Amino acid sequence: MAVVVGKSRIFSGMIWTTIQTLVNRSLGFLVKLVLARLLFPEDFGVVGMAAVFISFINVFNDLGIGAALIQRKKEKLREAHYHTAFWSGIVWSILVFLIVSFLIGPLAAWFYDVSILKLIVPALSLSILVSPINLVQKAQLTRDLKFKKLAYISNLSSFLAAIIALIMAFTGFGVWAIVANAVATNIIAVPFYFMVSKYIPKLAWDKTCFQEIFGFGIYTTANSLFGKITSNIDYLIVGKLLGAASLGIYTFAFIFTDVFRSQLMNIVKSVMFPVFSQLQNDPKILKNYYLKVVKINGLLVNPVMFGMILFSDPLIPYFFGEKWINSIELINILSLGVIVHMLVNSNSALFQAKGKVRAQLFINIFQTLFFFVPAIVIGTYLFDMVGTAYGFLIAKILSVIFILIMLEKLLAIKAWSVLKVSSIPLLISLISFTLVYFLKSYIFPVYLAIPTYALSVLVFSYLLEKDNVMFLVNKVLKRNDKE
């Protein structure tokens, strides 16, 4: 019999995880804002080069052990699983850090022909040594849906790390401020996780437990690897073919579009993965929850992306300077890619929760090899950065069609059902976009067009999705948090 998860706990989790991510992203964005004023696209490009290699390495950091601890059914989870996971993560992270320091750093410097990457890549990888220490605690808190505590730890750590980074930025450390911010967040969080979770690792390791969690985790890791290849192939190609300056501009555009989308997806996945896991034996309820998540994500993300298209032209030069003006066209194209992606958002959490990790791996491999790599390589080679963005958009469209087919084939979630729940969020955004586009072009100045657009989205959201909007408003006003 399926476990019934209370809507108040799910909503509470969404609220606290949203707060956590909003604070983290706001602080991170503030650091990038300061650096964008102080530095040039070349500097952002160098950090972007290092980040590509680190993102690949991070996939192997915990071997999917954290996801395995969350997905495993409660009655099959023993204390030995936690101790085995903790020590396996520690040993593995040390090995990975050594590989990064002595192999990946020099490899990145050689690949891009940028010598400073020999220092930046190992420095960024310091977080690899620290994150496994928090692995079990985070899994325990996530399993119990204690997202408020996770948010407190994450926000406090990010706040302190942001202060360090901003001090470094203003005192002339440049790109090293970003490195310090990324590393300090994980280090500062360590004692807080131990205090909140009360977990004390014992010197114990069980072969059977390792095989059980590793068996799930290895497919999760492989999925993450191909997911990272898919999401970073454009960075890799732009940096190699076009250089640091072009990669800096492309990275800047990506921050405003797909990074925003991915952070929201992280919110939803963090909350819904354990929820989906508890509902994995009730296909009907699971399907309803998934479609609900697709609609809510569309209501949140689509208006922002259409707003990017409307207002990036006047706002980017105003806030960040003329040196970033070449990013405007990229922002518009990548925003369309995000809008397309919202049709299948959160599908990875659903596949993992149902234990369909092999199928998810097939999907990721297929879309990476046959959609993203060829589209982005050809686009970049023929049309530079703009071609990269269009290649990314085309690959997104093909990928969404493919995932819709797989959802129907493997989980009996019909493509028509997904398109139906996505249509209203898309319609709200299109109506508001069209209205404000003409007002901005012929009547309103920008400073009036922006609040008009926001008001239009809110009004049409209320008119077309009154029940969902009022449910969210009432939950916020009542603060119905019953963790």
Side-chain angles (χ1 to χ4, degrees), residues 46 49 105-106 108-122 176:
V46 170
M49 290 172 176
W110 168 80
F111 182 81
Y112 288 116
D113 194 22
V114 178
S115 60
I116 196 174
L117 290 176
K118 292 180 180 179
L119 300 176
I120 292 179
V121 171
W176 290 103

Side-chain angles (χ1 to χ4, degrees), residues 352-472:
Q352 286 186 27
K354 286 289 291 181
K356 302 281 188 180
V357 286
R358 294 187 183 186
Q360 187 189 9
L361 177 59
F362 167 74
I363 293 171
N364 284 335
I365 292 175
F366 189 90
Q367 67 180 6
T368 298
L369 296 181
F370 294 100
F371 300 153
F372 284 91
V373 172
I376 291 172
V377 169
I378 294 172
T380 306
Y381 184 78
L382 294 178
F383 304 107
D384 293 342
M385 286 186 299
V386 175
T388 307
Y390 275 116
F392 185 84
L393 173 59
I394 292 170
K396 280 284 187 183
I397 294 172
L398 296 174
S399 177
V400 165
I401 294 172
F402 182 59
I403 292 173
L404 285 173
I405 293 172
M406 297 304 292
L407 281 172
E408 184 165 345
K409 181 178 181 180
L410 298 177
L411 300 177
I413 298 177
K414 295 185 179 299
W416 171 247
S417 299
V418 176
L419 294 174
K420 184 178 179 180
V421 298
S422 302
S423 61
I424 294 180
L426 187 60
L427 179 62
I428 291 169
S429 300
L430 279 172
I431 294 174
S432 302
F433 175 89
T434 304
L435 174 65
V436 177
Y437 177 81
F438 285 105
L439 290 176
K440 182 174 75 75
S441 300
Y442 301 106
I443 302 174
F444 282 3
V446 172
Y447 63 86
L448 289 179
I450 293 176
T452 302
Y453 176 74
L455 180 61
S456 175
V457 168
L458 291 174
V459 169
F460 286 113
S461 295
Y462 179 80
L463 292 176
L464 298 178
E465 279 293 319
K466 180 178 179 180
D467 292 340
N468 281 329
V469 171
M470 292 309 299
F471 170 77
L472 295 174

Side-chain angles (χ1 to χ4, degrees), residues 10-20 271 472 475-476:
I10 296 174
F11 181 79
S12 174
M14 293 285 285
I15 288 295
W16 283 109
T17 311
T18 301
I19 292 172
Q20 171 187 333
V271 177
L472 295 174
K475 287 291 184 181
V476 172

Side-chain angles (χ1 to χ4, degrees), residues 1-2 32 61 81 174 253 261 286 303 311 323 370 400 411 452:
M1 185 174 180
K32 290 182 176 64
N61 197 21
H81 284 98
R261 190 272 312 165
L286 186 65
F311 303 115
K323 58 189 174 184
F370 294 100
V400 165
L411 300 177
T452 302

